[in-house]
Amino acid sequence: MKGLSMEERLDFVKTMLTEEGFTVRMGKEGQNNMKFREISCPYYQIGISHPEVCTVDQTLISRMLAVPAEKVQCILNGGTICTYVVNAGRTASR
């Protein structure tokens, strides 16, 4: 991921999640934030018994973008979709 712009990393993460079976919508929120909305989740049935599987997406998004990803909605907690927000204007400190 080194050498890629934030926009290229965002596109890469969206593509990777899609290839894993997610239906992902990505959009801007505010001036610097990007919101990932996972409309469908291939881990839903597993997540019912093992909610820790949800940390996989959050960790993946955060590591690939080199910025924290905040989970703001989860289908297992009563949300209609899973949603993560990242500050795409923030530069990585690594």
Side-chain angles (χ1 to χ4, degrees), residues 11-73:
D11 287 339
F12 183 82
V13 170
K14 182 180 178 187
T15 298
M16 193 164 57
L17 289 170
T18 299
E19 289 174 357
E20 290 297 317
F22 292 92
T23 301
V24 179
R25 301 287 183 263
M26 194 171 69
K28 206 165 185 185
E29 179 176 272
Q31 188 173 20
N32 292 319
N33 290 341
M34 290 299 292
K35 188 179 270 191
F36 285 86
R37 293 177 182 91
E38 296 175 340
I39 310 302
S40 65
C41 176
Y43 307 138
Y44 178 73
Q45 291 300 320
I46 295 169
I48 292 170
S49 300
H50 301 281
E52 63 274 11
V53 76
C54 294
T55 62
V56 171
D57 296 349
Q58 187 172 9
T59 301
L60 176 108
I61 293 167
S62 183
R63 294 273 173 108
M64 291 298 191
L65 298 178
V67 294
E70 178 187 2
K71 184 189 289 189
V72 295
Q73 186 177 21

